[in-house]
Amino acid sequence: MNGRLRLRFEAGSGDRPTSVLVLEQEPPLKVVRAFPTQDGGALVHLQNLSGGVLGGDRLENRFEVGPDAYAQITTTGATRIYRSRPGAEEALQRTEACVSAGGLLEYLPDPLIPFAAARYRQETRIDLAEGAGLFWWETVAPGREAHGEVFQYKRLDLRLDIYATGRPIVLDRAVLAPASLPLCSSARLGPYRYFTTFYICRVGEKSGTWDALEAKLSALIAEWTCPGESEWGASTL
């Protein structure tokens, strides 16, 4: 399937919250409605009507956050990457996000779950204007653990680029192929099964702000770390 979704968030005036315009919507991608948040933002839930991502799918998302608008985006459930049929192309999902001056984008989806024999590529590019802010989460599961499918997918290719006023600040690449490069290696995931990344960005902040935030986060996550069960780290870009 070739699904497309394009959303634009525009700041309201006075007591009006951020509004959402659905500029393009092709199945299986869909948004039903936006929910106002207490702080003037707009929350939307992304849906995939087919229930998951199939081999050969080409899915494209584009999010535009206007000046001073506040967008929150999540999903209605985990992103399930189904088994790819022999000879089928890998599934591909592209996401582009553009945050204008003074805008804020929060993205917190449910986990990505690759089924056994799944092949999937994900390409994400985010462009931030001066004064734009970003909270971007992503969690990758090892597979359907309840079915005994732990690291039985064929290939995950994850790419994330973040640009601040045209300058690259994040170029993140991960290619996971458990059959040829076992993920239990200490050079990869070691004893861990899930991994999460979280980026916090605000264009134009002074370096001292990030140094202070890194120290605060490092102190916080030290309480969460338990070797062999959970490991956390924080660093400035």
Side-chain angles (χ1 to χ4, degrees):
M1 302 189 73
N2 296 312
R4 294 174 61 87
L5 180 65
R6 183 183 172 197
L7 305 177
R8 179 167 176 82
F9 297 80
E10 295 186 349
S13 58
D15 296 332
R16 293 178 55 195
T18 295
S19 60
V20 181
L21 302 175
V22 179
L23 303 180
E24 189 173 6
Q25 189 166 250
E26 282 187 29
L29 303 179
K30 187 176 179 64
V31 163
V32 175
R33 58 164 295 186
F35 298 87
T37 66
Q38 292 182 346
D39 41 13
L43 167 65
V44 298
H45 294 79
L46 306 180
Q47 298 185 43
N48 185 327
L49 300 180
S50 64
V53 181
L54 306 171
D57 279 359
R58 295 291 182 267
L59 306 177
E60 296 184 12
N61 295 296
R62 180 170 175 82
F63 310 127
E64 303 171 7
V65 182
D68 301 316
Y70 178 16
Q72 293 182 343
I73 299 175
T74 185
T75 55
T76 56
T79 299
R80 298 168 177 83
I81 312 301
Y82 293 132
R83 176 190 301 270
S84 295
R85 292 177 298 176
E89 295 184 5
E90 65 182 359
L92 170 64
Q93 180 159 273
R94 288 194 177 100
T95 299
E96 294 183 2
C98 181
V99 186
S100 300
L104 175 61
L105 171 60
E106 292 189 51
Y107 180 72
L108 178 56
D110 288 288
L112 180 74
I113 303 178
F115 286 29
R119 291 182 290 113
Y120 174 71
R121 187 166 87 251
Q122 179 175 283
E123 301 175 357
T124 303
R125 172 166 174 146
I126 304 166
D127 287 279
L128 305 175
E130 186 67 31
L134 175 73
F135 297 107
W136 191 273
W137 285 90
E138 183 164 66
T139 297
V140 179
R144 297 188 298 173
E145 290 189 278
H147 289 71
E149 295 180 4
V150 175
F151 300 138
Q152 292 187 17
Y153 53 86
K154 288 188 176 180
R155 179 182 172 92
L156 290 184
D157 186 347
L158 308 176
R159 311 176 187 187
L160 171 65
D161 298 343
I162 303 178
Y163 287 78
T165 60
R167 173 170 158 253
I169 57 175
V170 172
L171 298 174
D172 193 352
R173 302 289 185 270
V175 177
L176 308 177
S180 56
L181 297 171
L183 299 184
C184 59
S185 164
S186 58
R188 299 180 186 93
L189 295 183
Y192 307 105
R193 295 186 174 186
Y194 291 76
F195 64 93
T196 294
T197 54
F198 176 36
Y199 288 98
I200 306 172
C201 305
R202 171 73 79 177
V203 183
E205 289 287 346
K206 297 179 180 179
S207 60
T209 301
W210 301 114
D211 293 338
L213 180 59
E214 178 184 336
K216 186 173 183 178
L217 288 176
S218 295
L220 175 64
I221 61 181
E223 303 175 5
W224 303 348
T225 295
C226 181
E229 293 184 8
S230 177
E231 191 82 26
W232 295 84
S235 63
T236 57
L237 297 176

